[in-house]
């Protein structure tokens, strides 16, 4: 199973919105990758900006897959990668 960049953004938006008790449409996400720091996401919500590290992104993806696809997955099954855009491959257990 592969999640597109848009699904990764959706996963993070839903996760942040749930935690802050706001609408997902009030959350803006920019996915990032750095050779030294790895994967991260810059999130803007309620007039504030924060950086989510890869572990936070993986948690959001876990929850998204459970809610949207009714599949329980674990972080060890998620592999983030980039070609033209960022995506996540979900490995079978």
């Amino acid at each position: 199973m592969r999640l597109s960049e848009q699904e990764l953004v959706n996963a993070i938006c839903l996760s942040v919105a749930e935690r802050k008790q706001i609408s997902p449409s009030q959350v803006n996400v920019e996915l990032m990758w750095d050779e030294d720091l790895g994967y991260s996401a810059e999130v803007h919500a309620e007039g504030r900006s924060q950086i989510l590290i890869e572990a936070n992104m993986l948690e959001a993806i876990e929850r998204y897959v459970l809610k949207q696809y009714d599949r329980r997955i674990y972080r060890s099954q998620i592999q983030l990668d980039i070609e033209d855009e960022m995506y996540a491959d979900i490995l079978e257990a």
Side-chain angles (χ1 to χ4, degrees):
M1 169 184 212
R2 178 171 283 185
L3 299 180
S4 68
E5 181 170 83
Q6 184 59 56
E7 286 183 290
L8 298 181
V9 168
N10 291 349
I12 294 167
C13 282
L14 290 169
S15 178
V16 170
E18 187 176 313
R19 288 177 191 268
K20 295 184 178 284
Q21 299 181 355
I22 59 176
S23 167
S25 63
Q26 295 177 279
V27 181
N28 292 316
V29 175
E30 181 182 344
L31 300 176
M32 301 182 294
W33 181 81
D34 180 82
E35 194 170 311
D36 296 323
L37 303 175
Y39 297 97
S40 60
E42 185 172 7
V43 177
H44 300 276
E46 297 184 307
R48 293 187 171 181
S49 176
Q50 74 181 99
I51 302 292
L52 300 183
I53 61 172
E54 184 174 347
N56 301 121
M57 295 172 65
L58 296 178
E59 179 185 350
I61 293 167
E62 282 179 63
R63 297 177 74 179
Y64 179 82
V65 171
L66 180 61
K67 288 182 179 184
Q68 299 297 316
Y69 295 99
D70 197 28
R71 287 185 58 195
R72 165 92 45 207
I73 62 166
Y74 301 96
R75 290 178 196 190
S76 60
Q77 293 174 261
I78 305 169
Q79 289 187 337
L80 295 173
D81 205 352
I82 295 178
E83 282 180 14
D84 292 332
E85 62 179 30
M86 193 180 296
Y87 62 89
D89 281 332
I90 310 300
L91 307 175
E92 297 300 320

